Amino acid sequence: MTDAMTLGALADPRRYRERLELRNEPTEKLVGMLEGMLRIRFAEERVAELVEAGEARAPCHLGIGQEAVAVGVSDALRPSDRVYGGHRSHSHYLALGGDLNAMMAEILGKATGASCGMGGSMHLYDAEVGFHGSVPIVGATIPIAVGAALAAKMDGRGDVAVAYFGDGACEEGVVHEALNFASVMKLPIIFVCENNLYSSHLDISLRQPFDSVGRFADVHRVERAVVDGNDVGAVAERTHRLVARARDGGGPAFLEAVTFRWRGHVGPKEDIDVGVRRSPEELKAWKERDPVRRLVESLKIDRKVTDVQVSGIEAAIRDAVKLAVEFARSSPYPDEPALLDLVYAPSRESAR
Ligand SMILES: Cc1ncc(C[n+]2csc(CCOP(=O)(O)OP(=O)(O)O)c2C)c(N)n1
């Protein structure tokens, strides 16, 4: 058993709780990251309430607690990059600047939603910000992201593709095919694995001989990095390096961000009575490694961002979330013809 196989202290929720090392990042940028994480957290907390109230009826997989990964990764991206997600992708979409109104409307099944109300929480899409889609089938967007990386390489403009997935997805063969192909073709893609130590209700120790899934990158000669996924600055710093390398023709990379989701696999509850080995103590410990709290406390100490400023940011984001829900509620459901009209892209003839 080597260090390359195991996450060690990174998987221990009693570690890595200290305030963040903010390096020389400008305060403005760090506050932007805080806003990004709060936007995701408050939006998802509201989604949880809508699910509990029976108003949101599509299955919703919440990533509360994992916000630093998407926000850190997105810091290194530009709108012409091509990003793909999965079933737990509210954060990936929002961190790129995905439209909050369109997300809430999609979750409520409305025609103004990101997928015209046809897909729900797991079918988000906003090509303008570089989010080219999420689907529920575990691992399914990874080969599509590899194809997008091949296209980006052929276009020659230095764009990259990003595939987000979880540790459970690494148990799908397609991940290994994708890593192999990306390596052989030296594609500009970053495989971002949010290792939250669970697949559905199963702890990783019951599914894998080792807890670091980044080890799969090694065998395909793909550059690999492991990072504390609850440290937004560390995620951003690592991603910047890997993205710069990929833009420069250096080939693919695998970023394993270690984190934890506070809610159950699907739905609003914490599921401490469902998960195998998911205990109240473990969850409590992970909540203390909260990526939002760590950044707020660090900002307050190092940059003299005041409580009043933080409260102002929180209030503005809560307002935006409230307005998004109102927008979604007041939007119409898709009309009947949309059921067939939206199945295929328009033909060239009808698009003319
Ligand atoms: C191909 C396929 N197999 C199984 C499922 C059921 N399923 C949905 S999410 C999930 C767990 C995925 O775990 P992970 O990839 O670690 O992501 P996380 O849920 O932790 O974010 C499973 C088994 C599915 N949607 N698709």
Side-chain angles (χ1 to χ4, degrees):
M1 198 158 61
T2 68
D3 283 342
M5 298 283 195
T6 62
L7 297 173
L10 277 175
D12 179 353
R14 285 162 296 277
R15 303 284 300 280
Y16 293 92
R17 288 181 181 179
E18 66 282 7
R19 73 190 160 96
L20 307 177
E21 212 191 294
L22 299 182
R23 303 178 185 86
N24 296 322
E25 297 293 359
T27 303
E28 202 176 283
K29 179 173 158 179
L30 294 164
V31 169
M33 287 180 163
L34 174 63
E35 287 169 341
M37 288 199 287
L38 287 172
R39 188 162 173 261
I40 297 163
R41 177 150 313 171
F42 292 169
E44 288 210 310
E45 285 175 349
R46 195 68 192 95
V47 170
E49 289 167 1
L50 293 170
V51 173
E52 281 209 292
E55 199 174 338
R57 282 175 287 169
C60 290
H61 301 73
L62 304 172
I64 296 171
Q66 301 188 180
E67 300 87 349
V69 182
V71 170
V73 167
S74 301
D75 189 61
L77 302 178
R78 57 196 191 200
S80 53
D81 292 327
R82 303 158 205 212
V83 182
Y84 296 81
H87 56 287
R88 199 180 304 287
S89 270
H90 300 156
S91 62
H92 310 145
Y93 168 94
L94 290 175
L96 287 169
D99 188 284
L100 186 56
N101 287 4
M103 185 181 105
M104 287 298 183
E106 190 56 42
I107 288 170
L108 294 192
K110 299 300 184 77
T112 51
S115 292
C116 305
M118 293 291 164
S121 156
M122 293 184 276
H123 291 89
L124 299 176
Y125 178 83
D126 192 341
E128 271 181 34
V129 298
F131 193 69
H132 291 271
S134 56
V135 302
I137 306 302
V138 170
T141 51
I142 300 172
I144 301 173
V146 171
L150 178 58
K153 183 171 177 168
M154 291 165 77
D155 289 345
R157 290 192 290 265
D159 292 330
V160 300
V162 170
Y164 283 108
F165 53 94
D167 46 289
C170 297
E171 289 148 22
E172 298 282 349
V174 73
V175 172
H176 307 275
E177 296 170 45
L179 283 166
N180 183 64
F181 187 79
S183 176
V184 170
M185 301 294 286
K186 242 183 161 198
L187 298 182
I189 178 167
I190 315 299
F191 296 92
V192 179
C193 180
E194 289 173 282
N195 187 346
N196 62 16
L197 310 170
Y198 276 85
S199 172
S200 232
H201 308 105
L202 278 183
D203 183 282
I204 196 162
S205 63
L206 301 166
R207 301 181 281 116
Q208 293 275 330
F210 303 104
D211 62 2
S212 175
V213 291
R215 70 187 194 275
F216 299 125
D218 295 345
V219 294
H220 294 290
R221 296 289 182 270
V222 168
E223 177 83 6
R224 173 250 275 242
V226 187
V227 71
D228 173 9
N230 286 16
D231 177 342
V232 70
V235 175
E237 193 258 335
R238 276 303 166 91
T239 313
H240 272 280
R241 271 202 269 151
L242 299 176
V243 167
R245 180 179 168 276
R247 292 200 201 287
D248 221 28
F254 190 108
L255 180 69
E256 180 172 19
V258 185
T259 185
F260 200 79
R261 60 171 157 72
W262 295 3
R263 304 293 174 109
H265 167 62
V266 60
K269 307 223 180 317
E270 292 184 337
D271 276 8
I272 42 179
D273 50 344
V274 180
V276 183
R277 299 199 183 161
R278 184 175 165 91
S279 67
E281 295 73 35
E282 186 187 27
L283 179 58
K284 184 170 176 286
W286 274 101
K287 284 185 176 176
E288 283 163 31
R289 193 163 142 181
D290 179 0
V292 173
R293 177 194 59 75
R294 285 168 76 196
L295 181 56
V296 169
E297 284 178 8
S298 312
L299 274 169
K300 280 189 196 164
I301 293 166
D302 288 0
R303 310 289 170 125
K304 306 196 186 353
V305 171
T306 62
D307 282 328
V308 175
Q309 281 168 305
V310 173
S311 304
I313 291 169
E314 289 179 349
I317 295 171
R318 284 197 196 284
D319 276 353
V321 171
K322 190 166 172 256
L323 288 174
V325 174
E326 281 167 19
F327 169 82
R329 281 179 171 154
S330 61
S331 293
Y333 285 106
D335 52 20
E336 221 175 294
L339 275 176
L340 294 179
D341 291 349
L342 295 170
V343 176
Y344 297 107
S347 67
R348 285 205 187 122
E349 286 68 35
S350 63
R352 266 187 206 129

